[in-house]
Amino acid sequence: MDERYVVRFDEIGMADIPQVGGKNASLGEMVSTLGSEGVRVPDGFATTSAAYRAFVKSNGLEPAIRAALDRYHSGDATLRVTGEAVRELFLAGEFPEQIAATIRTFYAALSTGAGRGPLSVAVRSSATAEDLPDASFAGQQETFLNVTGERELLDACRRCYASLFTDRAISYREVKEFDHLEVALSIGIQHMVRSDVGGSGVMFSIDTETGFPEAAVISAAWGLGETVVQGTVNPDKYLVFKPLLDDPACSPIIEKTLGPKERKMIYAEGGSARTRMVDTTVRERESFVLQDEEIVRLGRWAALVEAHYGHPMDMEWAKDGVTGELFMVQARPETVQSRKSGTRFTIHRLTETGTVLVSGAAIGDSIASAPACVIRNPADIESFQDGAILVTEMTDPDWVPIMMRAAGIVTDHGGPTSHAAIISRELGVPAVVGTGNATDAIRDGQTITLSCAEGDQGHVYDGALAFEAEEVDLGSLPKTRTAVMVNIASPAAAFQWWRLPADGVGLARMEFIINNLIAVHPMALVHPERVTDEDDRRRIAELTRGYSDPKDYFVQSLALGIAKLTAPYYPNPVIVRLSDFKTNEYAHLVGGSAFEHLEENPMLGFRGASRYYDERYREGFALECSALKRVREHIGFTNVIVMVPFCRTPAEADRVLAVMAENGLVRGENGLQVYMMCEIPSNVILGEVFAAKFDGFSIGSNDLTQLVLGVDRDSEELAALFDERDEAVERMISEAIHKAHAAGIKIGICGQAPSNYPDFAAFLVSEGIDSISLNPDSFLKTVGRIAEAEKRLEAVRPVVPARV
């Protein structure tokens, strides 16, 4: 191939990177090896590095390029002047006739094969030093879309060569210490997918924010894909759980976030411009770009491509709006998360609070505090101050030189897979993207704190807030016989803590998902006619827009939240507690005031199990059951266990289990286990009776302590009396453990006490508890305490291994 100037995609593979660059080699590899697996790649061909070097030689460019670079290195010319000078050399050059004729011949053959001509093609740059495992070079060179005809094609090829010396490409090679003249450029000419009337986007086979390896992340927008890559729109976001993709009965989508997608890029008609930007329609903004079946298919492609290459991948896809077909148009190695250690990580924490100025997608997981440098116009880039936090509308590849000097980045537009986000991750610079209004909300020179340490939502705070960083080595954690689990409320937090070697989730709080992600009282969706408050009615209409039935909004949103929370711990058990709001908390949900009554003591009132079979909430509870059934049977997480809170009597347990069964959650069917919170004295006193109805207990030490001691757990005046280590409470816990084991069921604890008190953790171990579930931030220190307690106990008497 060294002497050939043009080759078809089906003639090349990854061994040919020196000749066709990483991008084109990868396309050829997929055409020849993954086509039989269903991965579709548009047909095309590539020029080789030999063609590039022949162009440089025939036009005598090398001496002039070296001279321009020497002036730059000596400080006699700026980066901008150097880039312009070198690019002009290429644009003034001519293709040797042999190369030009060969390109025309291959283009004619491509057009004939498509059954029409002249064919519209995408012309993409593929440098021989890009898309390598330790350097992505993403977006450093140019792509030209909707190129039609021989003259336009050769002109686009010449511009691709020139783009090897864009300012951003020169700067990037300087940082990576690549010799500018050792790098060559191949050009990929590919059948243009009609995504201008369809959609397109970016896909990663690893979670780009946390490094969780079992999720594929897909971004999608209407029109041509450059808007997603460049970050000019906020796209849809989908997450797919890869381990369940092999089961055709599952649809393992664990997140669907609707992006506003205000603009799209389409083909231009007439004139010299090949593409143009237009506003999207209201319907497009309110609709997902991809159907569930298409999301799953792309997820399968991501898993196949990753498996073939043997490492996480960064991909681009397109959907033809005419035929409805999906295509993979690029694949390259993911270069940031895949290189991080799976056992060592740094935890950043804010240690004080402040006023949130803007929020958006968090890129990275660190925190930065510095003055803001607000730049709206690219012409003002050179005014950037080193060490400031860059605030701009969007950061395209031309901004890379100052991104390298920034403490953090904040943008108005762009999603988590935009080019700006990719480069921010690669540089290790925290960013909050897609805020919508950062350039208006933040003043130039204003001191701000950028936090990406609070889940997938990043926040920008006013002022300099204190924070800390802790380096953690999970490889040094001791092993325990007692199962150590985590308490999780937020799906985003579940992803943030996926590296913890937890034995599952001992308590997943449904209330967080309902309160923060859904926001609406479930009964307000069942009976919207009973909501009289106009603001609530308007808010419900906004939240449920796009759903034919408002109840579907609740069921699907809750199911996705539970699924995302479950994914990092699969196939270990994830115990999801049914909603346990008090009446005053339910009333604060949108539309809630129409369905809740005032109680003197909500803590001991209409809460937990008593709501589920009562006519005042029974229809709302049916939505909870539908969501859990969807998680287990449609999405595929059969490791989800359902837990009933605040169940006062055995008769109440029977009624709840009956209502669950009516709604498709039958204990024992499809492996469903049902647990009970052991948090009321009656649960312990009648432990053997409750144990016959449930598969396990989880001790809720907060409620059990307040009810045994008669101490309001929220009372500041009685705080000194509230202690889980009180002898009466410990006797209750001991009795609960022994009764559960006598009945042959599992029992754990999900309160904070084992984290707060080393002696309490030792007490639980000595009583033979099966599992201890901890808050993630206390997991690391408490595991050591549990191991020490087990070691001391073993010296006294043999310990029976705990059951998980």
Side-chain angles (χ1 to χ4, degrees):
M1 187 183 296
D2 289 344
E3 301 305 317
R4 297 177 63 185
Y5 292 138
V6 183
V7 290
R8 297 193 313 270
F9 282 164
D10 60 8
E11 298 178 288
I12 55 179
M14 294 309 293
D16 301 308
I17 287 178
Q19 287 76 40
V20 297
K23 191 177 299 177
N24 286 335
S26 181
L27 287 170
E29 182 82 9
M30 288 192 295
V31 167
S32 57
T33 62
L34 295 177
S36 60
E37 300 282 350
V39 178
R40 305 197 63 189
V41 178
D43 197 11
F45 60 92
T47 66
T48 65
S49 57
Y52 169 81
R53 297 195 189 285
F55 182 97
V56 171
K57 184 177 181 180
S58 69
N59 287 282
L61 302 185
E62 185 170 340
I65 294 172
R66 286 196 182 279
L69 291 171
D70 287 344
R71 287 193 295 274
Y72 172 58
H73 290 141
S74 66
D76 293 331
T78 64
L79 175 62
R80 179 178 294 179
V81 168
T82 301
E84 286 179 354
V86 176
R87 292 193 296 275
E88 283 300 322
L89 293 172
F90 280 94
L91 295 175
E94 293 292 340
F95 277 95
E97 181 52 35
Q98 182 185 356
I99 298 176
T102 307
I103 291 173
R104 292 189 196 103
T105 299
F106 273 72
Y107 175 60
L110 188 65
S111 297
T112 301
R116 61 182 185 272
L119 185 67
S120 177
V121 293
V123 182
R124 303 179 188 276
S125 305
S126 178
T128 57
E130 73 177 353
D131 295 347
L132 304 177
D134 59 348
S136 76
F137 283 77
Q140 300 306 316
Q141 284 80 49
E142 299 291 354
T143 291
F144 300 93
L145 304 176
N146 194 28
V147 176
T148 307
E150 293 177 353
R151 178 180 292 182
E152 280 193 11
L153 175 56
L154 288 172
D155 180 62
C157 289
R158 189 182 294 108
R159 291 179 181 277
C160 278
Y161 282 167
S163 76
L164 190 58
F165 288 90
T166 59
D167 296 357
R168 58 186 180 263
I170 295 171
S171 179
Y172 195 87
R173 286 195 296 272
E174 292 280 330
V175 170
K176 293 292 183 179
E177 298 182 349
F178 281 86
D179 186 321
H180 296 283
L181 287 163
E182 286 297 316
V183 178
L185 192 128
S186 165
I187 303 166
I189 293 93
Q190 195 173 25
H191 186 165
M192 187 77 195
V193 179
R194 289 299 308 273
S195 56
D196 62 308
V197 289
S200 50
V202 175
M203 174 166 63
F204 289 84
S205 65
I206 187 173
D207 182 54
T208 50
E209 304 315 320
T210 65
F212 178 53
E214 304 295 358
V217 185
I218 304 168
S219 294
W222 299 111
L224 302 173
E226 300 308 294
T227 57
V228 179
V229 175
Q230 294 172 0
T232 55
V233 301
N234 296 337
D236 293 345
K237 178 187 175 184
Y238 317 116
L239 277 180
V240 181
F241 186 61
K242 294 184 296 184
L244 293 177
L245 284 168
D246 290 337
D247 187 344
C250 296
S251 180
I253 301 168
I254 59 175
E255 181 180 335
K256 286 178 66 177
T257 301
L258 185 68
K261 309 178 294 292
E262 301 98 336
R263 306 264 288 165
K264 67 177 180 179
M265 182 182 287
I266 63 172
Y267 292 164
E269 297 175 1
S272 59
R274 298 186 181 94
T275 61
R276 62 191 179 98
M277 294 291 290
V278 297
D279 292 338
T280 51
T281 64
V282 173
R283 183 173 182 179
E284 286 174 324
R285 295 173 197 177
E286 295 178 355
S287 301
F288 287 110
V289 173
L290 294 174
Q291 301 298 312
D292 285 3
E293 182 275 330
E294 294 170 324
I295 297 169
V296 171
R297 194 190 320 165
L298 283 176
R300 289 199 175 100
W301 287 4
L304 285 168
V305 171
E306 179 183 67
H308 177 75
Y309 287 102
H311 48 71
M313 297 294 288
D314 167 1
M315 295 150 280
E316 293 179 30
W317 60 271
K319 178 181 177 180
D320 193 305
V322 177
T323 66
E325 296 172 294
L326 287 173
F327 292 93
M328 192 84 79
V329 295
Q330 281 194 41
R332 52 183 168 255
E334 193 277 339
T335 59
V336 180
Q337 291 293 352
S338 56
R339 297 175 62 83
K340 291 185 177 180
S341 167
T343 60
R344 296 189 66 87
F345 64 105
T346 303
I347 302 172
H348 293 84
R349 302 185 190 89
L350 284 173
T351 55
E352 61 177 318
T353 59
T355 302
V356 175
L357 299 173
V358 292
S359 299
I363 308 302
D365 53 15
S366 58
I367 300 172
S369 185
C373 184
V374 181
I375 301 178
R376 288 185 171 86
N377 192 326
D380 299 327
I381 283 179
E382 292 183 0
S383 68
F384 181 77
Q385 301 295 312
D386 286 3
I389 294 177
L390 172 65
V391 181
T392 186
E393 292 182 0
M394 53 174 270
T395 55
D396 65 32
D398 288 322
W399 297 66
V400 171
I402 66 170
M403 292 170 72
M404 295 175 178
R405 296 152 43 204
I409 297 163
V410 185
T411 70
D412 289 344
H413 308 298
T417 57
S418 63
H419 175 271
I422 294 171
I423 296 300
S424 295
R425 291 187 197 97
E426 189 163 326
L427 296 174
V429 176
V432 177
V433 302
T435 62
N437 64 335
T439 52
D440 292 326
I442 300 171
R443 302 187 311 277
D444 187 56
Q446 179 180 4
T447 298
I448 56 176
T449 298
L450 181 161
S451 173
C452 295
E454 301 164 76
D456 53 7
Q457 273 288 99
H459 305 290
V460 179
Y461 296 91
D462 185 22
L465 302 185
F467 61 91
E468 61 186 15
E470 177 187 0
E471 193 78 25
V472 177
D473 181 5
L474 298 178
S476 62
L477 286 180
K479 303 294 183 183
T480 62
R481 289 180 298 276
T482 307
V484 185
M485 307 173 82
V486 287
N487 300 327
I488 294 287
S490 162
F495 265 54
Q496 186 179 4
W497 295 101
W498 72 268
R499 287 183 176 86
L500 291 180
D503 295 308
V505 177
L507 175 62
R509 300 181 181 92
M510 190 183 287
E511 300 86 57
F512 180 94
I513 299 172
I514 295 174
N515 190 55
N516 292 276
L517 303 184
I518 298 174
V520 183
H521 194 293
M523 290 297 290
L525 300 172
V526 177
H527 291 290
E529 73 282 356
R530 291 168 55 182
V531 178
T532 57
D533 184 274
E534 284 302 319
D535 288 338
D536 282 356
R537 291 173 71 92
R538 187 163 44 251
R539 179 67 174 143
I540 290 170
E542 291 172 358
L543 291 169
T544 61
R545 186 176 292 121
Y547 292 86
S548 57
D549 186 334
K551 296 191 291 294
D552 291 341
Y553 163 72
F554 185 94
V555 172
Q556 293 180 30
S557 299
L558 181 56
L560 287 171
I562 294 171
K564 185 176 180 181
L565 186 151
T566 301
Y569 307 97
Y570 179 85
N572 289 326
V574 173
I575 304 170
V576 179
R577 187 178 69 188
L578 296 164
S579 66
D580 192 25
F581 285 120
K582 288 75 176 174
T583 49
N584 57 322
E585 295 167 336
Y586 265 119
H588 286 137
L589 295 172
V590 176
S593 59
F595 301 93
E596 300 297 332
H597 61 284
L598 183 65
E599 290 187 299
E600 290 295 329
N601 190 349
M603 186 73 76
L604 295 179
F606 189 42
R607 61 174 286 200
S610 62
R611 298 184 70 96
Y612 308 149
Y613 56 86
D614 191 285
E615 292 305 319
R616 287 172 289 175
Y617 188 73
R618 190 179 184 122
E619 292 169 291
F621 180 63
L623 302 185
E624 295 184 30
C625 293
S626 294
L628 285 162
K629 184 177 174 66
R630 183 177 178 87
V631 170
R632 288 178 49 84
E633 299 177 14
H634 178 72
I635 299 175
F637 288 113
T638 53
N639 59 318
V640 165
I641 295 169
V642 179
M643 184 156 65
V644 179
F646 224 75
C647 186
R648 293 171 169 95
T649 68
E652 188 166 63
D654 290 336
R655 298 184 73 174
V656 171
L657 290 170
V659 173
M660 288 175 61
E662 289 173 13
N663 288 289
L665 294 178
V666 180
R667 180 187 169 208
E669 193 173 282
N670 297 322
L672 175 63
Q673 295 185 59
V674 182
Y675 280 22
M676 182 192 76
M677 288 289 293
C678 185
E679 56 190 341
I680 303 171
S682 63
N683 298 152
V684 180
I685 296 167
L686 298 177
E688 66 281 0
V689 181
F690 283 105
K693 303 177 185 297
F694 294 97
D695 299 290
F697 289 164
S698 181
I699 298 168
S701 57
N702 285 341
D703 270 333
L704 187 60
T705 299
Q706 79 167 343
L707 294 173
V708 168
L709 298 180
V711 174
D712 182 351
R713 72 189 203 190
D714 294 331
S715 170
E716 294 181 7
E717 288 134 344
L718 301 177
L721 294 175
F722 187 93
D723 191 341
E724 296 93 330
R725 298 168 298 171
D726 185 277
E727 183 180 358
V729 179
E730 289 195 343
R731 283 195 187 187
M732 278 284 188
I733 291 173
S734 176
E735 185 177 344
I737 294 171
H738 296 154
K739 284 186 174 180
H741 287 166
I745 68 169
K746 293 163 281 191
I747 184 167
I749 189 169
C750 54
Q752 184 64 24
S755 302
N756 293 341
Y757 310 117
D759 54 332
F760 191 72
F763 158 73
L764 294 170
V765 170
S766 69
E767 293 299 319
I769 200 161
D770 295 313
S771 64
I772 297 176
S773 193
L774 308 164
N775 290 339
D777 58 358
S778 60
F779 184 95
L780 300 170
K781 67 178 181 182
T782 311
V783 166
R785 294 172 178 174
I786 293 170
E788 290 172 8
E790 289 177 344
K791 189 174 181 180
R792 288 194 301 269
L793 186 63
E794 191 174 6
V796 178
R797 68 174 190 265
V799 179
V800 178
R803 292 166 290 180
V804 181

